[in-house]
Amino acid sequence: MTNCLFARGLPAVTAELSVKYLKPVRCGRDLDVKGWLVKEYPPLYVLKGEISQGGNRLVCGEAKFIQTQDGV
């Protein structure tokens, strides 16, 4: 999810993270990883993400990020 902000040129750190593991993730197989911006209240950003494999959603999460001035 952080990479969504980095792609926008916004350095940020994780303030809160919630992850739900829905099904096991199989090792050695390709994964689809998605993340997207849900809400923005600079310097606070809310994002969601998910991991799927073979068309099945295996992990979903939501996080809040705080923008930093220097990337730290």
Side-chain angles (χ1 to χ4, degrees), residues 39-60:
K39 298 176 186 173
E40 55 183 295
Y41 310 100
L44 176 69
Y45 297 86
V46 180
L47 289 93
K48 288 188 177 184
E50 66 181 33
I51 298 173
S52 58
Q53 194 172 53
N56 296 309
R57 188 170 68 150
L58 307 178
V59 181
C60 61

Side-chain angles (χ1 to χ4, degrees), residues 2-67:
T2 308
N3 283 331
C4 291
L5 296 176
F6 291 165
R8 295 170 180 252
L10 299 169
V13 294
T14 307
E16 185 177 304
L17 175 64
S18 173
V19 178
K20 292 182 183 178
Y21 299 95
L22 308 171
K23 297 179 183 177
V25 177
R26 303 221 181 249
C27 295
R29 298 187 184 175
D30 290 340
L31 297 172
D32 293 314
V33 180
K34 298 179 183 176
W36 59 94
L37 182 62
V38 178
K39 298 176 186 173
E40 55 183 295
Y41 310 100
L44 176 69
Y45 297 86
V46 180
L47 289 93
K48 288 188 177 184
E50 66 181 33
I51 298 173
S52 58
Q53 194 172 53
N56 296 309
R57 188 170 68 150
L58 307 178
V59 181
C60 61
E62 184 171 337
K64 294 178 183 175
F65 296 90
I66 299 293
Q67 183 178 0

